[in-house]
């Protein structure tokens, strides 16, 4: 293998593998080693990627001298990876037909397509249920219940609740879209956090009293200033307080605790930590890694009963990310949950 060919391969950022007529690897660049592991030279192609579409394409290229392509899903060092493979005839030594194999990692694109597909399916499902209920009740009111005043009032109440659920879903979708569009632009306003928390607590006081939940704010200082978007931060506080009240358990207390941290290691500087602590049923550790995903629910039926859209924590996560902060969740079944929002001061 001429040194110049190996050197050229190493200058190219995509994974490249050069094989001879017997499918033995003559050279592989750095990205290929990252993808399949070190020590590729001297191995045969099936030992690093055993996939029928890839092996058939390689054999066709070597036998017919024609470029071939394939799409494969393979287990690589990075995990399950989607690859676009291009196999081209290449004979650097003039000693028989060889092939240059180029790999393009399409995993991120496939994941994005899958996320879009799941998102559309979830939105369709969330809207279909209340719409089906509305159509059913409208048909009933036009027919059997036309002259039944008691049934009409009951059905109209249910229709109002289902319409409200659709409105909340649409509003949350719009909020999520707005937050995502601004995520790369960090806020630069000066905002006083304690007053925002007090305002959020006042807003939720009636809801908390109705649920038999006591709200308690703990803050060492009356005023704490940070750079933030006041409206978005208020939305974070509303969502987390509302969740704590809904799932905190009747007759129990929800504590919102604000503390100032001199040096937060991950944020590399001073920070404000705001904890939303409930004494409810808690969340199993199995759910914690996914709880901020769109439409992910620990208990889907209970969440819908309480008016949840499955988007609140996704919105919180994106807003905290826009503020270059951190969202930490600690929970244990039977011991309640603690949602911690950690935001940089400067």
């Amino acid at each position: 293998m001429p040194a110049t060919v190996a050197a050229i391969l190493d200058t190219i950022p995509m994974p490249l593998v050069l094989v001879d007529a017997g499918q033995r690897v003559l050279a592989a660049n750095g990205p290929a080693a990252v993808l399949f592991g070190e020590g590729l030279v001297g191995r045969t192609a099936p030992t690093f990627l055993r996939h029928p579409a890839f092996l058939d394409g390689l054999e066709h290229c070597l036998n017919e001298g024609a470029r071939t392509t394939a799409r494969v899903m393979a287990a690589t060092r990075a995990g399950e990876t989607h690859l676009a493979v291009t196999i081209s005839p290449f004979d650097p030594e003039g000693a028989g037909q060889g092939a240059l194999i180029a790999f393009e990692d399409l995993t991120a694109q496939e994941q994005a397509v899958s996320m879009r597909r799941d998102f559309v399916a979830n939105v369709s499902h969330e809207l279909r249920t209340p719409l089906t209920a509305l159509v059913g009740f409208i048909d009933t009111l036009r027919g059997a219940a036309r002259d039944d005043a008691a049934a009409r009032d009951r059905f109209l109440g249910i229709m109002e609740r289902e319409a409200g659920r659709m409105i909340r879903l649409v509003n949350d979708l719009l909020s999520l879209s707005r937050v995502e569009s601004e995520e790369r632009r960090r806020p630069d306003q000066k905002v006083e956090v304690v007053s925002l928390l007090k305002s959020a607590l006042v807003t939720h006081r009636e809801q908390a009293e109705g649920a038999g939940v006591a709200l308690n704010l703990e803050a060492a200082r009356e005023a704490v200033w940070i750079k933030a978007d006041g409206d978005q931060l208020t939305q974070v506080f509303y969502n987390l307080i509302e969740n704590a009240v809904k799932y905190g358990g009747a007759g129990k207390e929800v504590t919102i605790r604000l503390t100032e941290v001199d040096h937060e290691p991950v944020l590399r500087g001073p920070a404000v930590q705001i904890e939303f602590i409930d004494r409810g049923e808690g969340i199993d550790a199995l759910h914690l890694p996914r709880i901020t995903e769109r439409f992910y629910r620990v208990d889907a039926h209970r969440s819908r009963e309480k008016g949840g859209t499955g988007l609140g924590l996704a919105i919180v996560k994106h807003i905290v990310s826009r503020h270059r902060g951190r969202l930490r969740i600690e929970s244990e079944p039977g011991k309640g949950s603690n949602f911690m929002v950690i935001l940089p001061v400067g």
Side-chain angles (χ1 to χ4, degrees), residues 217-240:
L217 174 62
E218 297 178 2
R221 288 203 292 150
E222 281 298 313
V224 177
W225 294 84
I226 64 171
K227 279 187 178 179
D229 182 315
D231 291 338
Q232 288 190 348
L233 218 53
T234 298
Q235 190 171 11
V236 168
F237 298 160
Y238 275 32
N239 284 355
L240 293 179

Side-chain angles (χ1 to χ4, degrees), residues 141-208:
L141 288 170
R142 282 177 169 170
R146 180 188 297 271
D147 300 316
D148 188 336
R152 186 168 62 244
D153 287 344
R154 187 171 71 255
F155 291 162
L156 286 172
I158 297 170
M159 291 167 69
E160 183 181 25
R161 188 169 65 245
E162 294 297 333
R165 185 173 146 201
M166 285 192 292
I167 290 169
R168 285 193 300 274
L169 177 61
V170 171
N171 285 339
D172 279 354
L173 286 169
L174 291 172
S175 292
L176 186 58
S177 175
R178 208 159 36 239
V179 171
E180 287 181 327
S181 69
E182 297 174 342
E183 196 164 351
R184 295 178 184 274
R185 184 168 54 84
R186 186 177 178 182
D188 56 5
Q189 308 168 19
K190 277 286 185 178
V191 172
E192 203 283 290
V193 182
V194 179
S195 62
L196 291 182
L197 284 170
K198 288 180 178 178
S199 174
L201 287 172
V202 168
T203 302
H204 288 85
R205 191 75 64 187
E206 185 178 340
Q207 179 197 7

Side-chain angles (χ1 to χ4, degrees), residues 33-339:
V34 171
L35 188 62
F36 298 111
E38 300 288 345
L40 286 174
V41 175
R43 292 166 59 184
T44 56
T47 63
F48 67 84
L49 182 54
R50 187 179 292 276
H51 191 284
F54 165 65
L55 296 175
D56 288 347
L58 178 58
E59 187 174 347
H60 180 78
C61 176
L62 291 172
N63 291 339
E64 305 297 330
R67 172 180 289 191
T68 60
T69 59
R71 293 283 291 268
V72 304
M73 188 170 68
T76 67
R77 298 181 74 190
E80 207 167 70
T81 306
H82 294 265
L83 298 169
V85 187
T86 303
I87 308 167
S88 307
F90 192 75
D91 184 15
E93 297 179 308
Q97 185 67 57
L100 181 64
I101 310 166
F103 299 92
E104 183 182 359
D105 191 345
L106 302 178
T107 307
Q109 292 172 238
E110 291 291 335
Q111 288 174 343
V113 169
S114 177
M115 284 176 64
R116 282 196 296 271
R117 186 167 55 242
D118 290 346
F119 182 72
V120 170
N122 280 319
V123 171
S124 301
H125 175 74
E126 293 292 334
L127 288 173
R128 183 176 57 202
T129 303
L131 282 171
T132 301
L134 287 172
V135 171
F137 286 126
I138 289 169
D139 288 342
T140 304
L141 288 170
R142 282 177 169 170
R146 180 188 297 271
D147 300 316
D148 188 336
R152 186 168 62 244
D153 287 344
R154 187 171 71 255
F155 291 162
L156 286 172
I158 297 170
M159 291 167 69
E160 183 181 25
R161 188 169 65 245
E162 294 297 333
R165 185 173 146 201
M166 285 192 292
I167 290 169
R168 285 193 300 274
L169 177 61
V170 171
N171 285 339
D172 279 354
L173 286 169
L174 291 172
S175 292
L176 186 58
S177 175
R178 208 159 36 239
V179 171
E180 287 181 327
S181 69
E182 297 174 342
E183 196 164 351
R184 295 178 184 274
R185 184 168 54 84
R186 186 177 178 182
D188 56 5
Q189 308 168 19
K190 277 286 185 178
V191 172
E192 203 283 290
V193 182
V194 179
S195 62
L196 291 182
L197 284 170
K198 288 180 178 178
S199 174
L201 287 172
V202 168
T203 302
H204 288 85
R205 191 75 64 187
E206 185 178 340
Q207 179 197 7
E209 288 173 356
V213 174
L215 295 176
N216 180 37
L217 174 62
E218 297 178 2
R221 288 203 292 150
E222 281 298 313
V224 177
W225 294 84
I226 64 171
K227 279 187 178 179
D229 182 315
D231 291 338
Q232 288 190 348
L233 218 53
T234 298
Q235 190 171 11
V236 168
F237 298 160
Y238 275 32
N239 284 355
L240 293 179
I241 292 171
E242 186 174 10
N243 279 354
V245 170
K246 283 179 182 177
Y247 305 109
K252 297 185 180 177
E253 184 181 67
V254 168
T255 300
I256 294 87
R257 181 182 299 141
L258 185 147
T259 53
E260 295 175 79
V261 182
D262 291 334
H263 182 80
E264 212 291 322
V266 175
L267 301 184
R268 299 180 181 178
V272 170
Q273 178 173 288
I274 308 157
E275 301 173 74
F276 299 81
I277 306 164
D278 68 61
R279 278 83 177 174
E281 296 176 7
I283 305 164
D284 193 287
L286 176 71
H287 300 289
L288 292 181
R290 299 191 59 194
I291 200 170
T292 57
E293 292 179 12
R294 300 172 186 182
F295 297 109
Y296 186 84
R297 292 180 171 99
V298 175
D299 184 339
H301 179 70
R302 186 181 176 199
S303 174
R304 290 192 184 98
E305 270 190 346
K306 291 181 177 289
T309 62
L311 292 171
L313 288 177
I315 292 170
V316 167
K317 181 186 73 172
H318 283 288
I319 291 175
V320 172
S321 175
R322 187 197 171 201
H323 286 72
R324 308 301 185 262
R326 298 174 61 212
L327 175 65
R328 286 175 51 198
I329 305 169
E330 295 178 356
S331 188
E332 194 175 334
K335 295 185 178 180
S337 304
N338 185 358
F339 287 77

